[in-house]
């Protein structure tokens, strides 16, 4: 991997692909620990592609990382994202760059969405930031990654995290109400299975909220597939029903 940036990029990609999901096989904990020690903060080539592949690797093995390691991955990036969010929403402060290009930014958001051992407060903050970013033209290129991350943060059943990491249903219901207004049909499809999944009573979102969300989604999808010129945003939910 030290031979050239291209070698390191391919090496990181192959390593992450081989180790995913980071748990479930004998000695996976050792493999993940060795990978963390060898790669964390030790990239031989600090190119945009290599850094993006490090984010992908981190996402792929996230299930084998402990809470401290996940916080170590997220904290520096979250600090920069909070600055950008504050500057965008309030006009105060100076926003630092958390990614060198859209590809790296997309992989950062996917990585953050996969870190299920972050505390619920951080997950809720991430969701609120994503919903503020989604309608902005500046983030149009990474909208699929933002909605993917939102789906993971809002998921009713975690992939590997504990159930106490799942956000309260009322929080996700409020997010769905906002999603109906700001996300297009292709992006809504990414999070359908995550947020509308039926599970324990305390975690399942309200049926009426699910129905509203799915009706809007299906209608938008039909319009998109038929290349309809009808502007859905001018319709009320009552007319859709």
């Amino acid at each position: 991997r030290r031979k050239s940036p291209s070698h390191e990029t391919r090496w990181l990609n192959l390593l992450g692909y081989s180790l995913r999901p980071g748990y479930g096989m004998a000695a996976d904990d050792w493999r993940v620990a060795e990978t963390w020690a060898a790669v964390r903060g030790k990239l031989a080539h600090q190119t945009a592609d290599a850094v993006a592949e490090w984010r992908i690797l981190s996402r792929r093995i996230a299930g084998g990382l402990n809470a401290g390691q996940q916080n170590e991955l997220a904290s520096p990036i979250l600090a920069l994202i909070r600055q950008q969010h504050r500057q965008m929403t309030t006009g105060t402060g100076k926003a630092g760059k958390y990614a060198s290009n859209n590809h790296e930014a997309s992989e950062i958001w996917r990585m953050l969405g996969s870190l299920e051992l972050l505390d619920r407060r951080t997950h809720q903050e991430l969701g609120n930031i994503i919903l503020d970013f989604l309608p902005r033209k500046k983030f149009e290129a990474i909208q699929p990654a933002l909605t993917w991350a939102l789906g993971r943060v809002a998921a009713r059943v975690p992939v590997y995290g504990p159930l106490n990491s799942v956000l309260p249903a009322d929080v996700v219901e409020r997010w769905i109400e906002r999603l109906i207004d700001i996300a297009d049909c292709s992006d809504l499809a990414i999070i359908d299975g995550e947020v509308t999944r039926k599970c324990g009573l305390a975690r399942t979102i309200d049926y009426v909220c699910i129905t509203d969300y799915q009706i809007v989604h299906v209608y938008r999808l039909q319009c998109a597939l038929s290349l309809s010129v009808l502007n859905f945003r001018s319709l009320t939910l009552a007319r859709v029903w």
Side-chain angles (χ1 to χ4, degrees):
R1 71 185 176 108
R2 291 179 172 81
K3 189 173 183 179
S4 73
S6 295
H7 280 79
E8 183 166 47
T9 299
R10 292 299 92 205
W11 182 83
L12 289 166
N13 185 277
L14 180 60
L15 180 62
Y17 184 84
S18 302
L19 290 177
R20 62 194 172 95
Y23 63 95
M25 294 290 290
D28 267 351
D29 55 343
W30 174 82
R31 295 186 187 97
V32 170
E34 290 295 302
T35 300
W36 179 265
V39 182
R40 171 61 178 155
K42 298 177 183 177
L43 292 180
H45 307 278
Q46 293 288 338
T47 63
D49 286 342
V51 175
E53 288 297 338
W54 161 240
R55 307 299 184 194
I56 295 171
L57 167 62
S58 301
R59 165 168 55 86
R60 284 173 163 170
I61 66 171
L65 300 175
N66 60 42
Q69 290 168 328
Q70 292 195 8
N71 274 291
E72 189 176 340
L73 282 173
S75 294
I77 302 169
L78 280 174
L80 295 173
I81 289 175
R82 288 182 182 116
Q83 289 177 9
Q84 187 174 52
H85 181 253
R86 187 184 310 113
Q87 198 277 332
M88 186 189 71
T89 55
T90 68
T92 61
K94 186 177 180 180
K97 288 186 66 176
Y98 65 90
S100 57
N101 54 39
N102 287 333
H103 174 52
E104 185 187 350
S106 294
E107 297 308 334
I108 283 174
W109 282 106
R110 291 190 178 99
M111 180 193 73
L112 291 173
S114 70
L115 301 179
E116 294 185 355
L117 300 185
L118 299 179
D119 61 74
R120 293 170 75 176
R121 181 178 177 182
T122 302
H123 280 152
Q124 186 168 344
E125 180 187 17
L126 274 174
N128 289 328
I129 290 175
I130 289 172
L131 286 167
D132 286 336
F133 283 176
L134 273 175
R136 307 276 179 154
K137 191 171 182 62
K138 178 178 180 179
F139 299 95
E140 187 175 354
I142 64 169
Q143 192 177 78
L146 290 173
T147 48
W148 188 95
L150 184 63
R152 287 295 302 272
V153 169
R156 301 295 79 208
V157 179
V159 175
Y160 61 84
L163 290 181
N164 62 13
S165 67
V166 176
L167 289 175
D170 62 318
V171 172
V172 178
E173 288 167 10
R174 290 196 297 272
W175 288 356
I176 287 177
E177 291 172 1
R178 293 184 62 185
L179 272 174
I180 290 174
D181 294 328
I182 66 178
D184 63 31
C185 63
S186 61
D187 293 319
L188 285 175
I190 299 174
I191 66 172
D192 274 352
E194 298 285 4
V195 301
T196 63
R197 186 169 178 178
K198 187 174 178 62
C199 49
L201 290 177
R203 291 179 285 126
T204 301
I205 62 175
D206 183 74
Y207 176 77
V208 174
C209 187
I210 294 176
T211 303
D212 293 352
Y213 171 75
Q214 291 178 334
I215 286 174
V216 172
H217 181 193
V218 169
Y219 187 84
R220 283 179 173 172
L221 187 58
Q222 289 174 340
C223 288
L225 291 176
S226 64
L227 301 179
S228 171
V229 296
L230 182 63
N231 180 6
F232 175 77
R233 295 185 186 280
S234 67
L235 298 176
T236 64
L237 283 176
R239 289 182 64 188
V240 174
W241 289 328

